[in-house]
Amino acid sequence: MPPMKIKKHNFYAGPSILPQPVYDQAKAAIDDFAGTGVSLLSISHRSKEFTEVMEEARLLVRELLGLDEDFEVLFLQGGASMQFFLIPLNLLRTRAAYLDTGRWAARAIEEASYVGEVSVAASSKDGGYRYIPEDYEIPSDADYFHITTNNTIYGTQMHRIPDSPVPLVADMSSDIFSRVMDFNRFGLIYAGAQKNMGPAGTVMVAVRKSLLGKTGRRLAPMTDYAVHIAKKSMFNTPPVFAVYASMLTLRWVKEQGGVAAMEERNRRKSALLYEELDRNPLFRAFVEPPYRSMMNVTFDLTEPALRERFDRMWQEADIVGLKGHRSVGGYRASLYNALPLESVQVLVDVMRELERTA
Ligand SMILES: *Cc1c(COP(=O)(O)O)cnc(C)c1O
C-alpha cells in the first residue's frame, strides 16, 4: 500500500474520513470511468459498467457481513432517516418495539409512530443517553425490535446484542463493517453510507425477503422494498457517485482483511485514546467502560479554563472535526475504519503535551 497522504487528521463524525485509495480512484473515475472515456458523473446508470459497480457493491456487502441467502442488499436514497419511515411501512403490521438509546433511536421511534403502534422497551434518555439499557423485555407479539448498535452523538455502543423473540432491526449507520457479529441474527440492517462506508448520498439496506409482504398495507412503489429488490436498486436513478465510492470502500475493507481486520484496528485505536482519557487528569470520558463506543469517543476537559489552549493545540497539530455534538458539548473523536492509528497517536500526544505544560 502506498503511504497515506495525510493532509489533516480527520475526526469528523460524518461525512467522515475515507481510505486514501478511494479518493484517488474516485477522482480518476470523474475524468474517465472504467476506461469508457466518460466521466463517472455523466455515465448512464444503465450502462454495463455502472450496473457492474452496483452488483459488486451488493455482493461485497453480502460477503463482508456473511449474509445468508434470505437477505437482499439495496442501495437507496434519503439516508438512514428515510429508513426510519420505510421500515415500519414495510414491516409493521400491528406493533413494533424499539430501544431508545439516543437521538437517532428517538427519531426512528417518532417516524414509526406515523405508521402504527410503537412500544419503547427501554430508554436511557433520563441518563443523558450515556449508557445502554440492559434489563428490559422485548414483547413477543411485536412485529420487530429496533436497536441502534452505535449511538454516534453520545459515544455509546451495544456490546451485547439482545436475544430477541421477534426479528431484530438495526440501525448500524455508525458502526457497520467495524466489528465482527453474527449478522444473520438480524432481520434488517441499515446504514447511511457517510459514516463508515462512503460519501453521503446513499443508504445500504440488507433485508430478509421472508419478512416482506406481511403487513397487508398497499405501498407506493418508491416506499416498497420488494420493488427496489425486483429492480436491483435501479427503480429510479441511483446516486451513481455515492454507490461507486462506497463500492471502492468495501473493496478496500476486503483487501485489508475484512471486518475482522477492521475490528482489530478499531480496538487498538479506541484503546489508545480511552487509556489516555482515563490516565490523564485533565480529561474525562463521558461514557463508562461497559458502554464505550469504538467508533465515537466523547470526552471533555476537567478544567474548562484550558479549553482555549487545548483547542489551539489540536488545531496546530492538523486535527479537524474534534468538536462534540452541539447537544452534548465537549469533544468527540470519531475513529472510523479509514482513520489511521497514527492520527489517534497525534491526538494523544497533544493531550499529553497539554498535561505537561498546563
Ligand atoms: C448519522 C446517523 C443517522 C442519520 O443519517 P442520515 O443519513 O443523515 O439520515 C441515523 N442513525 C445513526 C446511528 C447515525 O449515526
Side-chain angles (χ1 to χ4, degrees):
M1 222 179 66
M4 286 283 207
K5 281 184 271 176
I6 291 180
K7 298 185 190 87
K8 294 283 181 183
H9 301 286
N10 182 348
F11 289 90
Y12 279 120
S16 40
I17 187 167
L18 295 173
Q20 186 62 45
V22 172
Y23 300 134
D24 296 339
Q25 291 167 57
K27 229 181 304 178
I30 286 178
D31 285 337
D32 179 358
F33 171 52
T36 56
V38 174
S39 169
L40 174 64
L41 303 182
S42 308
I43 195 145
S44 167
H45 60 294
R46 305 275 177 210
S47 65
K48 176 175 155 289
E49 289 80 7
F50 183 73
T51 312
E52 284 170 8
V53 166
M54 181 64 95
E55 188 58 25
E56 184 174 348
R58 292 167 49 202
L59 283 173
L60 281 166
V61 170
R62 183 178 283 289
E63 183 182 341
L64 289 168
L65 300 182
L67 299 178
D68 68 38
E69 283 303 306
D70 189 26
F71 275 100
E72 290 285 351
V73 177
L74 300 170
F75 283 89
L76 303 177
Q77 294 173 70
S81 297
M82 183 62 90
Q83 301 313 310
F84 294 162
F85 184 58
L86 293 200
I87 287 164
L89 270 186
N90 281 268
L91 302 184
L92 194 161
R93 187 170 37 188
T94 48
R95 182 153 81 109
Y98 280 70
L99 191 64
D100 177 22
T101 54
R103 171 83 67 89
W104 295 120
R107 285 270 305 276
I109 291 166
E110 191 204 330
E111 297 270 331
S113 75
Y114 287 90
V115 179
E117 194 190 323
V118 179
S119 68
V120 177
S123 171
S124 51
K125 187 172 185 184
D126 58 2
Y129 290 128
R130 287 189 190 185
Y131 69 99
I132 306 282
E134 272 167 355
D135 285 322
Y136 54 86
E137 229 171 287
I138 303 167
S140 57
D141 63 344
D143 295 317
Y144 61 87
F145 180 53
H146 180 285
I147 60 174
T148 309
T149 52
N150 186 75
N151 299 282
T152 325
I153 294 172
Y154 313 90
T156 65
Q157 191 169 27
M158 293 181 82
H159 296 294
R160 197 187 62 80
I161 303 301
D163 289 316
S164 173
V166 298
L168 266 175
V169 170
D171 178 355
M172 297 195 186
S173 290
S174 51
D175 68 350
I176 188 94
F177 307 118
S178 72
R179 55 173 170 159
V180 175
M181 256 192 241
D182 180 1
F183 295 97
N184 289 313
R185 287 180 59 192
F186 296 88
L188 186 150
I189 294 165
Y190 65 108
Q194 73 275 18
K195 310 287 167 51
N196 214 11
M197 187 170 63
T202 190
V203 51
M204 188 282 292
V205 180
V207 58
R208 287 189 175 281
K209 289 190 287 272
S210 56
L211 293 178
L212 299 176
K214 295 183 171 170
T215 65
R217 187 174 291 115
R218 194 166 162 258
L219 295 177
M222 263 305 273
T223 67
D224 188 345
Y225 289 141
V227 168
H228 291 292
I229 291 169
K231 300 289 183 185
K232 298 185 186 303
S233 300
M234 302 256 203
F235 176 63
N236 71 321
T237 313
V240 168
F241 181 81
V243 171
Y244 180 67
S246 296
M247 185 280 285
L248 294 176
T249 309
L250 297 173
R251 266 191 199 161
W252 177 85
V253 171
K254 184 179 169 182
E255 281 163 19
Q256 300 296 305
V259 174
M262 292 299 116
E263 173 168 343
E264 205 204 301
R265 292 166 51 134
N266 293 330
R267 282 199 186 285
R268 288 223 306 274
K269 288 185 293 185
S270 56
L272 177 62
L273 184 49
Y274 281 119
E275 275 163 26
E276 179 63 14
L277 288 169
D278 290 341
R279 184 206 64 78
N280 192 326
L282 297 185
F283 292 93
R284 66 187 170 91
F286 279 142
V287 177
E288 294 301 319
Y291 313 111
R292 285 178 178 175
S293 168
M294 284 201 291
M295 295 279 95
N296 310 99
V297 179
T298 53
F299 61 97
D300 207 354
L301 289 158
T302 49
E303 294 176 43
L306 291 172
R307 191 170 307 283
E308 216 175 295
R309 178 127 154 237
F310 178 56
D311 289 352
R312 196 176 58 241
M313 285 172 71
W314 59 259
Q315 282 162 35
E316 280 171 3
D318 281 331
I319 287 172
V320 295
L322 207 60
K323 234 175 98 163
H325 190 272
R326 60 196 177 279
S327 65
V328 175
Y331 300 94
R332 170 174 54 174
S334 296
L335 316 181
Y336 297 123
N337 285 346
L339 185 87
L341 181 67
E342 182 194 340
S343 291
V344 184
Q345 188 63 57
V346 168
L347 173 58
V348 166
D349 289 346
V350 168
M351 294 162 80
R352 288 187 183 149
E353 180 68 7
L354 183 71
E355 183 190 21
R356 210 179 54 79
T357 57

